[in-house]
Amino acid sequence: MTGQNRDLARRAFLSLALLAAAAACAADKPNIVLIFADDMGYGDPRCFNPQSKCPTPNIDRLAAQGMRFTDAHSAGTTCVPSRYGLLTGRYPFRNASMTPNTGSLIAPGSLTIASLLRDRGYATAMVGKWHLGFEGGKDFDYSKPFRGGPVDRGFETFFGQHASLDIPPYFYIENDRCTAAPVEKIAANNTPGWSPIQGAFWRAGPVAPDFKMENVLPTYVRKVEQYIARRQKPGQGKPFFLYLAMTAPHTPWLPTEQFRSASMGNLYSQWVAQVDASVGQVLAALDRAGLADNTLVFFSSDNGPVWYPEDVKKYGHSSTGELRGMKGDVWEGGHRMPLIARWPGRIKPDAASRQLVCLIDTLATVAELTGGLPKDGAEDSFSFLPELLARKANSPVRTEMLLGGGKNLCIRQGDWKLIPFLGSGGFSRPSRRKPGPGEPAGQLYNLADDPGETRNLYAVRRDLVEKLTARTRELSSTPRSRP
Ligand SMILES: [Ca+2]
C-alpha cells in the first residue's frame, strides 16, 4: 500500500467510524414528529380556547399528555416566511426573497432541521406542503427532477405538493419527481355565504389526473401512517424525523362525509374537526407501532386564520380566541400559535408554559436534544429544551423576537411589542394607514395586561419607542441574533 493509499484507507475508516458513532448515538434518541397545521388559529383548539366551537379532542389529548405554550409565535404571518423560519432557524427577513415563484428559497447547503437530523443519524421524511420553492420557480418542467426542494434540503423522502391547496398547478411530487403531470384543467371554486378566500375556495388551473382536492389531506395522513408502520421498534434502528405539513385548515375547506354533520358546526369547524382527527390518526399510528413513548411530537400552525370579525358574530366562534387580527397581521392573531410538545416520561403531562418562544427555536431545540447546536446556521434559534424538560424553570428561552421585514419590522421585547406603523400590516383592513393629526406614527402595546392590543401606548411611552426602535435596528443589522 502506498502512503497515499494508506492515508485514503485511514480516512475512509475514520469516516465509517464517525458514521457508526453517529448511528449508535442516534439510536438512543427519540423519534421526532412535527405536525404543522396550515392557517389554524390560536383560538381553534379547545385546549387554547375553551369557548372554541371546533371539536378538537385529539389536539386536546395531546396537550393533556404534554406541554402547551401560550406565548409561542410563528416566524411569519403567512405560509412562506413561517415555513422558512421553522425549517432554517433563521429570521425570514434575512433572506433576499420570500417568493417561491422565483426559485428555491432555502440556499443550497443551508442548515435545516432535516439536514441537521439526517447528519446525526436520523431517517428524515416530509409529507405535505413545501411552499419554499424549487429551482426554476414557477416554470415547472414535469419531465425533469425538481431541484432545490425537500430532498435537496435534508429530507431523504418527500411526498407532497409545491404550495397551498388553492394555488395551481395541482399535482403531487414524490421525492423529486412529479407523479403525474397536470394535463387537465380545473375551474375556480368558492362557497356561497363565505368571503372569496374562505370556504371551498381554489383558483382555476392545470390539475393532474391523480389529484383530487378532497383526497389530499387523507392521502397525506395515509402516507404518514404507512411511514410510521414501516419504522422499527425503539432501539432497533435509526430514529426518524417526520414532518407532516398539512394543507389544512387552509382553503379549500373540504371536510369529507364523516365530518359534514351539523354536530360538527359550520363548514370551518367541520374542516378543523377533520384536521384534529388527522392528528389523532398520526398519534394512533405511533401507538400501533409501539413508538409513542419514544417519540417527541410537536404540533403547531404556520400562521393565523382567515376569520373576520363578521364570522365571530355570525358563528359565535373566534378563531384567534381573544387575540386581535387574523392571517397576515402583525397583531397577535396573525402569529401567536397553538404549540404543543409531547414526550411521555420526559415532558410532564398537562403542563403549560408562558415562555416567549418562536417556532424558529424548534431547530435549536432538536439540535440540543441530539448533540448540541452547530456553530453555523440556525442564526436566530434558541433552544427551549430546558423548558420542555423543566430543567431551568424561570430562565427565559428568549427575551425578544423580530417579526416582519424591511421598514415594517416589529419587535417583541419582554411584554412589550412595537409596531412602527398604523394598521394591521396584513389582511385586516386597513393594512396600513397614515396617522391623522395628533395621532402617533406607530403602535406600542403591553401584552401582559393588554393581550388584545387595544391600548396604544406609543404616544405616552416615547422612551420605550426609542429604545425598541434602536434595538430593532441593532438586531436586524447583525447577521445573527443567537450568541
Ligand atoms: Ca398558512
Side-chain angles (χ1 to χ4, degrees):
M1 200 181 268
T2 65
Q4 195 183 10
N5 282 348
R6 248 196 318 273
D7 191 42
L8 278 174
R10 191 176 58 89
R11 274 198 235 162
F13 173 78
L14 280 177
S15 313
L16 279 174
L18 276 175
L19 277 176
C25 176
D28 311 327
K29 304 292 183 221
N31 307 305
I32 299 167
V33 173
L34 171 55
I35 307 174
F36 211 38
D38 192 358
D39 286 16
M40 177 181 274
Y42 184 88
D44 287 332
R46 286 190 183 160
C47 49
F48 286 87
N49 173 19
Q51 273 80 48
S52 171
K53 293 272 166 47
C54 302
T56 53
N58 293 290
I59 297 169
D60 300 345
R61 176 167 56 92
L62 190 70
Q65 294 168 342
M67 181 178 277
R68 212 164 36 90
F69 287 83
T70 56
D71 198 1
H73 300 262
S74 52
T77 63
T78 50
C79 308
V80 178
S82 175
R83 282 150 210 269
Y84 178 89
L86 172 78
L87 291 183
T88 63
R90 185 172 190 250
Y91 284 131
F93 75 79
R94 299 195 191 282
N95 221 36
S97 167
M98 273 294 129
T99 315
N101 283 347
T102 60
S104 174
L105 298 183
I106 301 178
S110 296
L111 184 78
T112 67
I113 298 182
S115 70
L116 174 113
L117 291 174
R118 180 201 58 203
D119 293 349
R120 290 182 179 182
Y122 274 67
T124 56
M126 172 177 176
V127 174
K129 163 174 160 173
W130 172 239
H131 219 168
L132 290 171
F134 292 90
E135 286 175 15
K138 62 181 177 182
D139 297 324
F140 297 112
D141 182 342
Y142 303 104
S143 66
K144 295 206 174 108
F146 286 70
R147 296 267 66 99
V151 294
D152 290 332
R153 298 294 183 265
F155 292 98
E156 291 167 332
T157 62
F158 170 60
F159 185 90
Q161 63 193 84
H162 68 97
S164 305
L165 193 46
D166 56 17
I167 299 177
Y170 304 109
F171 62 96
Y172 289 120
I173 302 165
E174 182 154 29
N175 299 323
D176 57 3
R177 290 277 181 168
C178 137
T179 63
V183 292
E184 297 173 358
K185 290 264 186 265
I186 190 168
N189 197 63
N190 60 52
T191 305
W194 292 93
S195 82
I197 54 164
Q198 291 176 303
F201 160 72
W202 67 74
R203 295 167 182 88
V207 63
D210 65 347
F211 198 98
K212 301 276 175 283
M213 293 288 182
E214 59 275 22
N215 292 346
V216 170
L217 180 60
T219 297
Y220 292 154
V221 173
R222 199 172 62 249
K223 292 281 178 190
V224 163
E225 288 175 322
Q226 288 165 350
Y227 183 85
I228 292 172
R230 287 198 302 271
R231 301 313 306 174
Q232 293 174 321
K233 298 281 181 287
Q236 293 179 345
K238 276 182 162 190
F240 64 90
F241 167 55
L242 174 61
Y243 171 42
L244 168 60
M246 293 200 275
T247 44
H250 193 290
T251 46
W253 303 348
L254 292 169
T256 51
E257 187 70 42
Q258 187 191 345
F259 300 96
R260 283 201 303 262
S261 80
S263 66
M264 301 275 182
N266 65 59
L267 185 64
Y268 181 73
S269 53
Q270 291 172 3
W271 189 220
V272 172
Q274 184 170 339
V275 170
D276 176 78
S278 303
V279 173
Q281 283 175 273
V282 177
L283 301 180
L286 289 171
D287 288 338
R288 280 197 301 279
L291 295 171
D293 284 349
N294 195 39
T295 301
L296 169 56
V297 177
F298 290 107
F299 171 83
S300 197
S301 171
D302 68 336
N303 53 255
V306 177
W307 197 256
Y308 299 94
E310 304 89 89
D311 300 320
V312 179
K313 279 186 208 134
K314 196 165 166 189
Y315 298 105
H317 169 68
S318 174
S319 200
T320 60
E322 293 177 353
L323 306 176
R324 183 178 185 186
M326 60 186 284
K327 178 175 182 172
D329 296 355
V330 294
W331 292 325
E332 293 293 288
H335 53 90
R336 194 184 289 218
M337 293 290 106
L339 169 64
I340 300 169
R342 182 189 80 172
W343 187 9
R346 304 297 299 274
I347 298 175
K348 273 209 307 199
D350 211 12
S353 172
R354 295 168 61 187
Q355 286 262 9
L356 173 65
V357 297
C358 183
L359 298 184
I360 286 179
D361 301 332
T362 315
L363 204 167
T365 303
V366 302
E368 188 182 1
L369 178 65
T370 56
L373 260 177
K375 230 168 80 234
D376 300 317
E379 289 88 340
D380 304 299
S381 192
F382 294 80
S383 169
F384 56 88
L385 188 69
E387 180 70 2
L388 290 177
L389 304 181
R391 278 190 193 145
K392 278 192 208 161
N394 304 324
S395 169
V397 174
R398 56 160 70 232
T399 53
E400 53 197 3
M401 99 177 208
L402 296 177
L403 183 77
K407 286 181 191 154
N408 295 345
L409 209 52
C410 304
I411 186 167
R412 165 79 185 270
Q413 191 184 72
D415 294 330
W416 294 94
K417 178 170 158 188
L418 176 69
I419 302 170
F421 55 88
L422 293 179
S424 71
F427 286 30
S428 293
R429 281 175 298 265
S431 173
R432 219 191 152 103
R433 67 180 176 83
K434 288 204 170 111
E439 231 190 342
Q443 304 169 71
L444 178 75
Y445 299 106
N446 184 323
L447 297 170
D449 53 24
D450 182 22
E453 298 169 281
T454 57
R455 289 188 299 280
N456 184 2
L457 302 173
Y458 193 98
V460 289
R461 292 301 307 269
R462 291 298 306 168
D463 57 326
L464 270 173
V465 170
E466 271 165 41
K467 182 181 143 208
L468 292 174
T469 303
R471 185 60 181 154
T472 306
R473 208 174 300 129
E474 190 179 6
L475 272 176
S476 60
S477 59
T478 57
R480 60 193 303 136
S481 61
R482 83 168 159 96

